[in-house]
Amino acid sequence: MKNKRLLSFVIKLILFTLVASFFAWSFKSGYYQLIIDDSEGFIFLLKQHINMVLLSILLAIVLAIPMGILVTRPKFQKLQWLFMNIANLGQTIPSLAILALAMTWMGIGFKPAVFALFLYSLLPILRNTVAGIKSIDPNLLDAAKGIGYTPAQILLKIELPNAAYPIMAGIRTAVVINIGTAALAYLVGGGGLGDWIFTGIMMRDNSYLLSGAIPVTLLALLADQLVRFIEKLVISKGLRQSITISD
Amino acid sequence: MIKFDQVTKVYGDKVKAVDNVSFDVPEGNIVVFLGPSGCGKTTTLRMVNRLETITDGKIFVNGTDVNSLNEIELRRKIGYVIQHNGLFPNMTIEDNVMAVPNLIGWDRKKKADRYKYLMDLVGLNPDEYRKRYPHELSGGQQQRVGIARAMAADPPVMLMDEPFGALDPVIRTRIQNEFLQIQQEVKKTILFVSHDIDEAIKMGDAIAIFQNGKLMQYDSPSELLAHPKNEFVREFVGKDRALKSLSLHTVEDLISERMLRKLDGNENSNKKTISVETNLRDALSILLNQEADQLVVQANNKLVGAMKIDDVEAYLHQHIK
């Protein structure tokens, strides 16, 4: 046990040192100078990037959660495989291909990029909503029904609150994936920090490359923490599994 | 209070889960539905608050056909307790207990008073548990909260589906006793599903024993044990039914039939003191386990006499057989 802890500490230390020395090297080489020199451009791209992600995620939430609720109603249970398969398909097609397909239909710019990201976010949210609602102990639903909750009250007061953890996890997954995938939006003229990353790749210019890539990484980490914070606010304390006390 | 009139439940086309069942449950009684799994006892229970539809026949609660009522309203007026308590993990204990009053919109003051009353009734500190969540409670505590929740809106009728089935034996016995005390105070009409004959004898004013959807016998526990109507009932209550029926009688009953022995002054003999309220099955157990050669009976803090195995045996022959 003690050895294990020591080992994990050593590994953490090595990784931390690697990351720190990478940053030290890249700072020393002045690779982030671009962010300061062209701060207006940077902020413009950053905003574009965030806008694409936010809009696509909001659209995905607005569609995927009600869809998940719908297919878990007894009446629509038979449709579940259909919706899940469509969403699965969306996820299986490579993101680049979705962008290309969206472009043939919607042209170039912000719109096809948002549309592709939206399609890509549907599955994690839908899948987790369905799994979350289905994993609720049937005894709970029986008890709720038996003491006189209406179907709508069961949904709002029992099913959604008790499925909140997996649903939020689905949203978190989608946000993090999206921030990374949004870098590809450059390819359809959607803008975002991908502009600098691809410029960097094509010109073999570390300045552009890192000034685009590192902020994207940090953005993903930050968004992950932000959604975790929101989770704490919206998920009932009673659902955080902890010690059980015996009589 | 509750009347089953030729009630039948058919699943699909053929499977008769409940077959033409009729009986009456008097107000304030606990009736235990007993039988092996798949005998229709739970289905019969769940038809009362219409969690299962009634295929044929009628169920009346307080003179009203349950099918004539709005099912949501009906359920809010009937307490419901299930085996795995079914507490809502996302809600605090207070919100769980007050679930039905919240649904029907009681005012704050009325809810606060009721919450306090119920928690005291089931033996949990109202303030200590108010803001806690179900997962922080033990199984026994959760089941107490489940009972409090079922009684929240003071329903005259309660349905309990193996409410103590998931508890370990020691806690189960304790909660059974507590629940019988609560029932003394609240006098609800209760339908109680169980598969445990001992629990049925202990809890029931009457027992309805089912097999393959048919009601085999509906009688008081002592009648059921003394005169099983058919082979199935005889087998289900077990070969030790005479022994089981002893648990329905107390030492006090024995005293009313037979004189106790005089207390002998012999200090060497192995004695144990019991109260007159002890049931005869427990008294016999103590004697058989060689914990004592004779039992000294205590009433109102006075020793009134002694009894031996012979006395229990004689009582059994004379009174129960």
Side-chain angles (χ1 to χ4, degrees):
Chain A
M1 208 53 211
K2 220 177 176 186
N3 280 342
K4 216 173 171 185
R5 220 182 282 169
L6 188 72
L7 187 70
S8 87
F9 177 74
V10 171
I11 291 174
K12 272 183 197 161
L13 196 71
I14 293 171
L15 285 175
F16 182 78
T17 321
L18 281 175
V19 171
S21 48
F22 167 78
F23 272 101
W25 165 76
S26 55
F27 265 111
K28 215 175 152 195
S29 317
Y31 288 146
Y32 303 111
Q33 197 58 36
L34 194 60
I35 296 177
I36 297 157
D37 291 348
D38 187 8
S39 59
E40 242 172 76
F42 175 74
I43 287 172
F44 176 77
L45 291 179
L46 183 68
K47 268 189 186 164
Q48 256 186 341
H49 205 101
I50 293 174
N51 282 345
M52 270 189 291
V53 171
L54 271 185
L55 191 58
S56 58
I57 285 289
L58 280 179
L59 287 173
I61 290 173
V62 166
L63 188 70
I65 293 180
M67 211 195 268
I69 292 169
L70 189 75
V71 299
T72 48
R73 298 310 94 188
K75 276 183 201 167
F76 295 97
Q77 207 106 54
K78 282 177 188 158
L79 286 177
Q80 208 167 301
W81 67 273
L82 183 72
F83 280 77
M84 293 306 282
N85 275 321
I86 293 173
N88 262 322
L89 196 70
Q91 193 83 1
T92 334
I93 303 173
S95 39
L96 212 55
I98 292 190
L99 272 173
L101 287 173
M103 197 176 85
T104 57
W105 176 41
M106 303 174 94
I108 58 165
F110 186 70
K111 260 202 270 178
V114 169
F115 181 72
L117 290 175
F118 153 76
L119 278 187
Y120 229 58
S121 317
L122 278 180
L123 179 72
I125 303 177
L126 175 65
R127 189 172 47 198
N128 280 29
T129 304
V130 171
I133 291 177
K134 280 171 82 176
S135 70
I136 293 172
D137 181 356
N139 283 313
L140 282 189
L141 304 179
D142 183 61
K145 201 175 166 192
I147 64 176
Y149 277 69
T150 63
Q153 286 165 336
I154 292 177
L155 174 68
L156 293 175
K157 292 183 176 164
I158 311 296
E159 287 179 288
L160 287 181
N162 284 297
Y165 190 78
I167 294 175
M168 289 305 292
I171 293 174
R172 187 152 45 84
T173 310
V175 169
V176 172
I177 293 177
N178 249 359
I179 289 174
T181 314
L184 297 178
Y186 158 81
L187 299 171
V188 293
L193 289 165
D195 272 16
W196 280 9
I197 298 175
F198 279 94
T199 308
I201 293 172
M202 285 182 285
M203 295 171 31
R204 301 204 175 180
D205 182 338
N206 278 347
S207 249
Y208 272 104
L209 194 58
L210 291 182
S211 298
I214 295 300
V216 168
T217 312
L218 293 179
L219 194 62
L221 291 174
L222 193 73
D224 183 68
Q225 288 305 313
L226 188 72
V227 181
R228 278 179 202 272
F229 177 72
I230 297 172
E231 277 174 16
K232 278 199 177 156
L233 296 181
V234 300
I235 297 172
S236 158
K237 268 189 217 152
L239 295 171
R240 276 178 231 153
Q241 290 309 316
S242 63
I243 25 106
T244 39
I245 304 152
S246 59
D247 246 303
Chain B
M1 187 69 184
I2 305 174
K3 184 181 168 72
F4 291 81
D5 185 13
Q6 302 189 317
V7 175
T8 298
K9 171 76 187 180
V10 182
Y11 285 112
D13 288 334
K14 286 190 187 132
V15 190
K16 273 195 174 173
V18 178
D19 190 358
N20 201 17
V21 165
S22 300
F23 63 100
D24 288 339
V25 179
E27 190 170 346
N29 272 20
I30 299 180
V31 170
V32 179
F33 293 4
L34 187 64
S37 49
C39 70
K41 56 191 194 294
T42 298
T43 309
T44 307
L45 182 89
R46 290 167 64 87
M47 282 191 285
V48 177
N49 64 356
R50 290 175 58 197
L51 285 171
E52 299 283 354
T53 55
I54 303 165
T55 312
D56 207 8
K58 282 188 169 141
I59 298 175
F60 298 91
V61 173
N62 216 355
T64 316
D65 179 356
V66 294
N67 267 338
S68 70
L69 300 167
N70 172 300
E71 61 179 10
I72 300 293
E73 300 293 321
L74 172 76
R75 288 174 193 149
R76 289 176 185 176
K77 286 182 189 133
I78 294 177
Y80 185 51
V81 186
I82 59 177
Q83 181 174 6
H84 297 283
N85 70 65
L87 296 184
F88 308 133
N90 57 314
M91 295 185 193
T92 60
I93 298 304
E94 185 176 25
D95 285 342
N96 266 290
V97 173
M98 287 294 108
V100 179
N102 280 333
L103 289 177
I104 54 185
W106 283 13
D107 65 54
R108 191 178 288 258
K109 171 86 173 72
K110 195 173 171 190
K111 278 194 287 193
D113 291 346
R114 187 72 185 159
Y115 169 74
K116 197 177 169 315
Y117 169 80
L118 288 167
M119 290 297 274
D120 285 335
L121 191 68
V122 298
L124 296 172
N125 183 323
D127 294 319
E128 188 187 334
Y129 290 95
R130 188 186 304 274
K131 292 292 165 219
R132 292 173 77 174
Y133 287 92
H135 77 260
E136 299 174 280
L137 273 56
S138 70
Q141 290 167 337
Q142 290 184 7
Q143 205 52 282
R144 288 187 184 119
V145 175
I147 291 167
R149 178 174 70 184
M151 293 198 291
D154 207 9
V157 173
M158 281 173 64
L159 309 179
M160 306 179 81
D161 191 355
E162 302 208 18
F164 311 134
L167 303 174
D168 69 64
V170 176
I171 292 161
R172 188 190 311 153
T173 308
R174 196 195 302 161
I175 294 195
Q176 283 170 344
N177 294 338
E178 284 173 11
F179 186 73
L180 285 173
Q181 274 177 15
I182 292 171
Q183 168 69 354
Q184 295 272 315
E185 186 175 335
V186 296
K187 296 262 187 317
K188 304 284 182 198
T189 308
I190 295 168
L191 303 181
F192 187 113
V193 168
S194 177
H195 60 258
D196 175 1
I197 174 81
D198 291 314
E199 182 174 62
I201 293 168
K202 181 174 183 180
M203 305 301 288
D205 295 304
I207 297 174
I209 186 159
F210 289 83
Q211 185 200 19
N212 296 332
K214 291 199 175 72
L215 181 62
M216 291 285 116
Q217 188 166 358
Y218 177 57
D219 259 321
S220 68
S222 57
E223 213 23 56
L224 194 84
L225 289 167
H227 305 290
K229 256 186 193 163
N230 58 31
E231 197 51 41
F232 172 78
V233 178
R234 192 171 300 127
E235 213 159 273
F236 196 85
V237 297
K239 293 205 168 60
D240 57 342
R241 62 192 167 88
L243 203 57
K244 279 176 179 139
S245 65
L246 278 178
S247 63
L248 294 166
H249 299 260
T250 61
V251 175
E252 203 163 16
D253 298 331
L254 183 134
I255 297 174
S256 67
E257 302 266 326
R258 296 173 59 83
M259 293 282 287
L260 283 176
R261 290 154 195 262
K262 275 194 185 136
L263 291 164
D264 59 10
N266 187 355
E267 292 298 323
N268 293 329
S269 70
N270 205 352
K271 282 183 254 179
K272 208 166 164 96
T273 307
I274 57 168
S275 103
V276 285
E277 282 126 39
T278 313
N279 76 49
L280 287 178
R281 193 181 181 179
D282 290 346
L284 187 63
S285 293
I286 297 170
L287 287 165
L288 287 172
N289 283 343
Q290 307 284 318
E291 287 176 48
D293 303 327
Q294 57 176 334
L295 294 174
V296 177
V297 179
Q298 189 179 36
N300 303 323
N301 292 324
K302 266 192 245 160
L303 301 180
V304 293
M307 56 186 275
K308 288 189 170 178
I309 287 189
D310 301 353
D311 297 302
V312 182
E313 202 180 350
Y315 180 83
L316 190 67
H317 284 305
Q318 184 185 346
H319 198 72
I320 296 174
K321 274 282 166 89

